[in-house]
Amino acid sequence: MAVIYDRVALIGLGLIASSMAHAMKKWGLAGSIAGYAKTEATREAALELGFCDEVFATAGDAVKNADLVILAVPVGVMGAVAAEIRPHLKPGATVTDVGSVKQAVVEAVGPHVPDGVDFVPGHPLAGTEHSGPRSGFATLFQNRFTLLTPGDARPEAVARLRALWEGMGALVEEMEADHHDLVLAVTSHTPHLIAYTMVGVADHLRRVTESEVIKYSAAGFRDFTRIAASDPTMWRDVFLTNKEATLDILGRFTEELFALQRAIRMGDGDELFNYFTRTRAIRRGIIEAGQDTAAPDFGRTKADGP
Amino acid sequence: MAVIYDRVALIGLGLIASSMAHAMKKWGLAGSIAGYAKTEATREAALELGFCDEVFATAGDAVKNADLVILAVPVGVMGAVAAEIRPHLKPGATVTDVGSVKQAVVEAVGPHVPDGVDFVPGHPLAGTEHSGPRSGFATLFQNRFTLLTPGDARPEAVARLRALWEGMGALVEEMEADHHDLVLAVTSHTPHLIAYTMVGVADHLRRVTESEVIKYSAAGFRDFTRIAASDPTMWRDVFLTNKEATLDILGRFTEELFALQRAIRMGDGDELFNYFTRTRAIRRGIIEAGQDTAAPDFGRTKADGP
């Protein structure tokens, strides 16, 4: 595939950034990749693993001469990083991000983007419960959606970023930032909060020893613990910055849960059976949409690393 | 491996029963396998797939001459089935079951087990979101726990059933029936109810179209839909028969959820960060206990079928 950006700067070198770097290298999408991370250990890992060509101790140095700057830091620090890199951005460059929340990023980063630079917020719907520079792999975005919320960025800048994501195997869609935040509150943010809560309940329960909970973690709970093992900083920022939509969906969730709890208490088997039958149909929709498979390995075939 | 039971009768031929049959065949643990299912289509599938040697149109006929009778029907009908097979049980036989709840099964089945027959309730902590005779595969129980709640069954009957499960690759533990129900309420039953609820919320939400929820079902929600796609009859019976423990754990869950919801509303980032950090540690415990792996495919390597 052809080079899409001569020089790419990654600000933050965790799971998403390192996976993007591996993917850009694998498919020849970037001429060179510069990286910035807060700790020297992370910067050294990037060089050791070879997914960055150069690393820098400041974000400002990393973005110099970059045609694309990718902000891959927790949502809560995006604004400060944007302010820091502002004087060093190359005219005509594009700035994007990979944050799980978009409206808050638009508000935090937007004011720091100078004239002549395009800001195209983005969010790859991909991840694992692992974090850090050693957790990335090139195929993380394959056949997964990346959502762009371009606002008033120039169409040619959006098209070029889209080509990069498609080059990494992603399916790209565009939408408004606030709509993105509501959709994700349903499909990702609230489910994560619930999983964290359930794991917390198990942790506090004294009559069932922790070792039993762990030992007999049948399918339900085991899947929750995987979700609830995601990066704490990232998720703290998600809930603080997508507060309204998350609280809205949580309210609806509590209403539904109370209705089912009542059905259990009243012994209303028909209500439970009908509810569970409806939810099963949604699963079939997801399989038909190609975002998962019906196979016993749940479609999670091993990627090419790590 | 040596034959452990000359003749095994499977009452019900769904995911668990067909997987047990495949496993007993694969490792030579049963001399012959008789099967009963309510519908002719299921009985025919069992013969066509070859996991039963003979099938019968009544449970009573199926259990004749069986050394081991395995009740693999929904918990809600176990009592009726036990009453039906009672006159046909071979003296010295063992009856077991594979229900997800144990105290209710003990109460429903126990009174129908005649003198000279041992009743050893059991529960394999294994499954997929699929159901029916075509969903089974021999390796379903490999390295997964099977819990036995033997009560006052003879030790030699318990040891023999344990040998069968171990022959199918399971890790076997014994405990009291009521303790089983509490542990499972935490690790499986409540997580399933929560997953059903979250999927139901998404289904009702009008501002986000169903197609969007399905299309952008990032990790969190996708995992929930898989859990929420499990057999509705089985789960209805679980909640109706493990009512007290499930309501107890649900109450604790709601308390915790409200505390986190308040932290979001108040913008208390430290509270969220500390909570998420604690839950992450539990995940590490599960990986160390060998019930999941840290690899990107989540340890779900494809089994040998279907």
Side-chain angles (χ1 to χ4, degrees):
Chain A
M1 225 171 279
V3 167
I4 292 172
Y5 294 99
D6 278 339
R7 188 168 179 87
V8 173
L10 290 165
I11 307 304
L13 299 172
L15 168 65
I16 298 295
S18 60
S19 293
M20 290 182 77
H22 284 299
M24 289 187 279
K25 293 267 177 208
K26 184 181 173 88
W27 289 291
L29 304 168
S32 69
I33 300 177
Y36 160 77
K38 204 168 47 180
T39 70
E40 194 180 340
T42 299
R43 297 194 295 267
E44 280 176 4
L47 291 179
E48 177 202 327
L49 295 169
F51 65 76
C52 283
D53 301 298
E54 289 174 87
V55 294
F56 297 87
T58 71
D61 285 336
V63 304
K64 280 174 189 163
N65 297 313
D67 303 288
L68 177 68
V69 174
I70 302 169
L71 305 179
V73 293
V75 170
V77 297
M78 290 257 185
V81 169
E84 186 185 342
I85 63 173
R86 177 180 195 156
H88 308 282
L89 290 171
K90 177 177 166 180
T94 293
V95 174
T96 188
D97 78 299
V98 296
S100 306
V101 169
K102 296 272 63 77
Q103 191 59 39
V105 169
V106 167
E107 286 162 16
V109 173
H112 298 295
V113 178
D115 287 345
V117 170
D118 287 289
F119 179 38
V120 186
H123 178 205
L125 306 188
T128 74
E129 74 272 33
H130 305 290
S131 45
R134 297 179 189 278
S135 60
F137 53 99
T139 56
L140 179 61
F141 311 108
Q142 289 277 313
N143 203 34
R144 293 283 164 244
F145 283 98
T146 289
L147 305 181
L148 301 179
T149 63
D152 56 3
R154 286 176 309 139
E156 54 268 39
V158 179
R160 199 170 166 193
L161 184 60
R162 174 188 277 270
L164 178 73
W165 277 109
E166 288 174 350
M168 295 189 288
L171 310 166
V172 181
E173 300 273 351
E174 295 173 29
M175 59 175 64
E176 295 296 321
D178 57 349
H179 187 69
H180 166 280
D181 289 356
L182 181 63
V183 171
L184 269 288
V186 178
T187 59
S188 174
H189 304 169
T190 306
H192 270 80
L193 192 76
I194 289 164
Y196 277 121
T197 305
M198 188 63 224
V199 174
V201 168
D203 188 32
H204 287 141
L205 203 69
R206 297 298 170 210
R207 276 185 298 160
V208 177
T209 68
E210 187 181 303
S211 69
E212 273 182 318
V213 168
I214 288 171
K215 198 166 167 184
Y216 307 128
S217 61
F221 188 69
R222 194 178 55 223
D223 288 346
F224 277 31
T225 64
R226 187 166 55 70
I227 296 175
S230 304
D231 183 53
T233 304
M234 174 190 146
W235 283 100
R236 176 197 64 198
D237 287 359
V238 164
F239 296 119
L240 293 180
T241 57
N242 197 21
K243 183 190 289 199
E244 273 183 48
T246 304
L247 290 175
D248 175 17
I249 303 304
L250 268 177
R252 292 162 187 266
F253 172 83
T254 311
E255 279 173 28
E256 295 276 314
L257 185 63
F258 283 166
L260 284 176
Q261 189 169 324
R262 182 174 176 280
I264 292 174
R265 201 181 293 281
M266 307 290 281
D268 188 344
D270 290 344
E271 166 78 14
L272 295 172
F273 180 82
N274 292 335
Y275 200 96
F276 301 163
T277 302
R278 282 200 304 276
T279 57
R280 194 176 217 188
I282 297 182
R283 172 70 186 170
R284 281 196 287 269
I286 289 179
I287 291 170
E288 283 159 18
Q291 288 296 295
D292 208 344
T293 84
D297 70 344
F298 308 113
R300 296 195 179 100
T301 48
K302 189 153 176 3
D304 67 356
Chain B
M1 227 170 280
V3 167
I4 293 171
Y5 294 98
D6 278 339
R7 188 169 179 87
V8 172
L10 289 165
I11 307 303
L13 298 172
L15 167 65
I16 298 295
S18 60
S19 293
M20 291 182 76
H22 285 298
M24 288 186 280
K25 293 268 177 208
K26 184 181 173 88
W27 289 292
L29 305 168
S32 68
I33 300 178
Y36 160 76
K38 204 169 50 182
T39 71
E40 195 180 340
T42 299
R43 297 193 296 267
E44 280 176 3
L47 291 178
E48 177 202 328
L49 295 169
F51 65 76
C52 282
D53 301 298
E54 289 175 87
V55 294
F56 298 87
T58 70
D61 284 337
V63 305
K64 280 173 191 163
N65 297 313
D67 303 288
L68 176 68
V69 174
I70 301 169
L71 304 179
V73 294
V75 170
V77 297
M78 290 257 185
V81 169
E84 188 184 340
I85 63 174
R86 177 180 195 156
H88 308 281
L89 290 171
K90 178 177 166 180
T94 293
V95 174
T96 187
D97 78 300
V98 296
S100 307
V101 170
K102 294 272 64 76
Q103 191 59 39
V105 169
V106 168
E107 287 162 15
V109 173
H112 299 293
V113 178
D115 288 344
V117 171
D118 287 289
F119 179 39
V120 187
H123 178 205
L125 307 188
T128 73
E129 74 272 35
H130 305 289
S131 45
R134 296 181 189 278
S135 59
F137 53 99
T139 55
L140 179 61
F141 311 108
Q142 288 278 312
N143 202 32
R144 294 282 163 246
F145 282 99
T146 288
L147 305 181
L148 301 179
T149 63
D152 55 4
R154 286 177 307 139
E156 53 268 39
V158 179
R160 198 168 167 194
L161 184 60
R162 174 188 276 270
L164 178 73
W165 277 109
E166 288 174 348
M168 296 188 289
L171 310 166
V172 180
E173 299 274 350
E174 295 174 30
M175 59 175 66
E176 295 298 320
D178 57 349
H179 188 70
H180 166 280
D181 289 356
L182 180 63
V183 171
L184 268 289
V186 178
T187 59
S188 174
H189 304 169
T190 306
H192 270 80
L193 192 76
I194 288 164
Y196 277 121
T197 305
M198 188 63 224
V199 174
V201 168
D203 189 31
H204 287 142
L205 204 69
R206 296 301 169 210
R207 279 183 296 159
V208 176
T209 67
E210 187 181 303
S211 69
E212 274 181 317
V213 168
I214 288 171
K215 198 167 165 183
Y216 306 129
S217 61
F221 188 69
R222 195 178 56 224
D223 287 346
F224 277 33
T225 65
R226 186 165 56 71
I227 296 174
S230 304
D231 184 52
T233 304
M234 173 191 146
W235 283 100
R236 176 198 64 197
D237 287 359
V238 164
F239 297 119
L240 294 180
T241 57
N242 197 20
K243 183 189 288 200
E244 274 183 50
T246 304
L247 291 176
D248 175 17
I249 303 303
L250 268 177
R252 292 161 188 266
F253 173 83
T254 311
E255 279 172 28
E256 294 276 316
L257 186 63
F258 283 166
L260 284 176
Q261 190 170 324
R262 182 173 177 281
I264 293 174
R265 202 181 293 280
M266 307 291 280
D268 189 344
D270 290 344
E271 166 78 14
L272 295 172
F273 180 83
N274 292 336
Y275 201 96
F276 301 163
T277 301
R278 281 200 303 276
T279 58
R280 194 176 218 188
I282 297 182
R283 172 70 186 170
R284 281 196 288 269
I286 289 180
I287 291 171
E288 282 160 18
Q291 287 297 295
D292 208 344
T293 84
D297 70 345
F298 308 114
R300 296 195 178 101
T301 48
K302 189 156 177 359
D304 68 356

